[in-house]
Amino acid sequence: NEWSLGLVIVTIVALILDTIGFKMMFEQNNLTGNWGDYIYYSIRVFGFDLQTPAIDTPIPWVLEIGRWLSGAVTVWAIMLAVQEIFKDKWRLLRKGKGHIVIVGAGSKGKTLGIDWIKNTKDLEHEDYGKLVVFIEKDKNNSNVDILKDEGAIFVFGDGSDEQVLQKAKVDKAHYFVTVTSSDATNMEIVSTLTKLSSSIENKIKCYIHILHNEFYDFFMAKGFADNKKLDIKIFNINSNAARMLFSDENHLLGSNVFDSSEDIKDSNKKVKIAIFGFGKLGESILVHALHLGHFYNGVPLEVTVVYDDDKDENKNLLDEFEKQYDILKPQHNGKYWNVKFIDDGKFKDENICDYSQIIIAYEDEFESLSNLMKLLKKYNDEILSKKIDISIYSNSFASTANIIQT
């Protein structure tokens, strides 16, 4: 930064002046020396050691200036080092009020933190200038340096530890968000937070991410709901993504099938979508699609779920899904919708022109992008001619998406 650059420049100037000054001293006292000697004595000056080759002799004016500059450089460097070591603590002490605390610096936490920082840079934003403080267990997390470069600060430790929460000054925070990869961890963190309620100055808006919706009731328990210092809201990023997808006017279910009022009544018109990937995100998209898929012409929504049957995480996936959701019961399938599950190797047998919408929702973003590129390469003409709507979920590929759209 500018301070470090200034330090380097002043250091070079001081070293040159010291070296020239010692050369003059050697010459004035008829002493034998070389450039190595001059530089050696000059370096010692930075340690406040003005050892001269000639005792009790006048110091040349060049060396006088150089030694004062050298001392200033040393003090300057020490101050910068101290600032670097304690800058996060100082910023937290100075600005640690009304800030946002995020527990977990994984992909979700990183995206949330960067979005928050960038969206609050507007001087007129109500949260302008407020700190983003991360609590993270892993000091070697690759996202740490990325987020620090954006202006976030870190408190390392377990988010369910009271002392760690206190170091992050949660008692003075405005927002508190947990986005760890474990529902059990999130539950423990919030439980610990309730113990600190007595020290909390103002009501904190708490946003708790859960992977499994069955844990919703835990956070709605009386001990949390009645807490006057915590305003707890539960969210699931996959469910939110599905809701946002189908609420976007550009991706409304069937919007590219029913172009007119006559189309709405046409029993030959049908909406058929394909969902690639059936992890938690694909599951949420399917559920939202089935809840929305009731059309005026009475034709059932058709859904093809494409997933990798060979992966361990997909074993017994359908049985578990059918047990959890009544919507897939046999009496519904075929009446309100037609849902089928196929292995990804069998999608080549499908007629892609029958589909009105394709949603790529793999848990691995690179797998999503790879499958998108395969689809575009193989079916580009059909996708363009039939105006098939393609959606891909990603936290990281905004720039790539813009290129693909063109």
Side-chain angles (χ1 to χ4, degrees), residues 18-34:
D18 288 339
T19 303
I20 294 173
F22 278 112
K23 182 177 183 298
M24 293 172 62
M25 179 175 279
F26 269 76
E27 292 173 350
Q28 289 173 2
N29 292 275
N30 298 317
L31 298 173
T32 302
N34 54 44

Side-chain angles (χ1 to χ4, degrees), residues 123-361:
L123 288 171
E124 296 182 0
H125 196 285
E126 61 177 343
D127 293 314
Y128 169 76
K130 291 183 179 178
L131 284 181
V132 174
V133 181
F134 276 89
I135 296 176
E136 171 61 33
K137 270 187 176 181
D138 184 8
K139 291 184 178 181
N140 298 318
N141 186 330
S142 59
N143 292 330
V144 171
D145 290 337
I146 296 173
L147 288 163
K148 280 187 173 181
D149 289 342
E150 293 291 341
I153 66 176
F154 276 78
V155 174
F156 292 102
D158 188 342
S160 61
D161 186 322
E162 286 188 32
Q163 291 185 340
V164 173
L165 292 176
Q166 288 169 343
K167 285 182 181 178
K169 291 191 173 292
V170 294
D171 57 317
K172 299 180 184 296
H174 189 187
Y175 301 97
F176 183 85
V177 186
T178 66
V179 282
T180 73
S181 58
S182 166
D183 286 339
T185 301
N186 290 336
M187 291 162 69
E188 188 65 24
I189 290 169
V190 180
S191 298
T192 304
L193 186 61
T194 58
K195 297 177 184 178
L196 301 175
S197 295
S198 59
S199 63
I200 294 175
E201 293 187 358
N202 299 304
K203 197 167 189 175
I204 300 175
K205 294 181 179 179
C206 300
Y207 296 90
I208 315 301
H209 178 258
I210 58 173
L211 295 169
H212 303 89
N213 291 326
E214 52 265 34
F215 289 114
Y216 177 84
D217 290 339
F218 172 84
F219 293 102
M220 293 298 103
K222 188 175 180 63
F224 296 124
D226 293 346
N227 194 305
K228 298 186 182 304
K229 293 295 184 70
L230 302 177
D231 180 13
I232 296 178
K233 300 182 186 302
I234 310 303
F235 74 99
N236 178 292
I237 196 167
N238 297 320
S239 181
N240 288 359
R243 190 179 301 110
M244 289 174 64
L245 171 66
F246 292 123
S247 62
D248 184 345
E249 62 180 11
N250 296 316
H251 302 285
L252 293 176
L253 203 59
S255 59
N256 57 343
V257 175
F258 304 111
D259 295 326
S260 66
S261 57
E262 294 301 319
D263 287 340
I264 295 174
K265 304 172 185 177
D266 189 348
S267 60
N268 293 317
K269 295 279 186 178
K270 70 177 179 181
V271 178
K272 185 173 183 177
I273 68 174
I275 302 172
F276 281 75
F278 199 59
K280 289 297 178 183
L281 176 59
E283 178 184 307
S284 294
I285 291 172
L286 174 59
V287 171
H288 278 76
L290 297 187
H291 281 302
L292 294 170
H294 305 280
F295 305 108
Y296 185 80
N297 65 357
V299 178
L301 169 69
E302 293 191 18
V303 183
T304 301
V305 178
V306 185
Y307 72 109
D308 189 347
D309 194 31
D310 294 330
K311 289 188 176 180
D312 291 338
E313 59 264 32
N314 289 331
K315 300 299 182 186
N316 302 317
L317 187 65
L318 302 185
D319 291 339
E320 293 177 8
F321 185 76
E322 289 175 7
K323 288 176 184 177
Q324 184 174 353
Y325 295 100
D326 291 337
I327 53 178
L328 281 185
K329 284 185 176 179
Q331 62 264 36
H332 298 321
N333 203 30
K335 181 179 181 181
Y336 302 114
W337 44 71
N338 289 302
V339 181
K340 68 176 180 179
F341 295 81
I342 63 173
D343 184 69
D344 55 3
K346 295 181 179 179
F347 187 75
K348 64 180 184 296
D349 300 328
E350 297 286 310
N351 182 2
I352 195 169
C353 293
D354 290 340
Y355 288 90
S356 56
Q357 189 171 12
I358 295 174
I359 303 164
I360 303 175

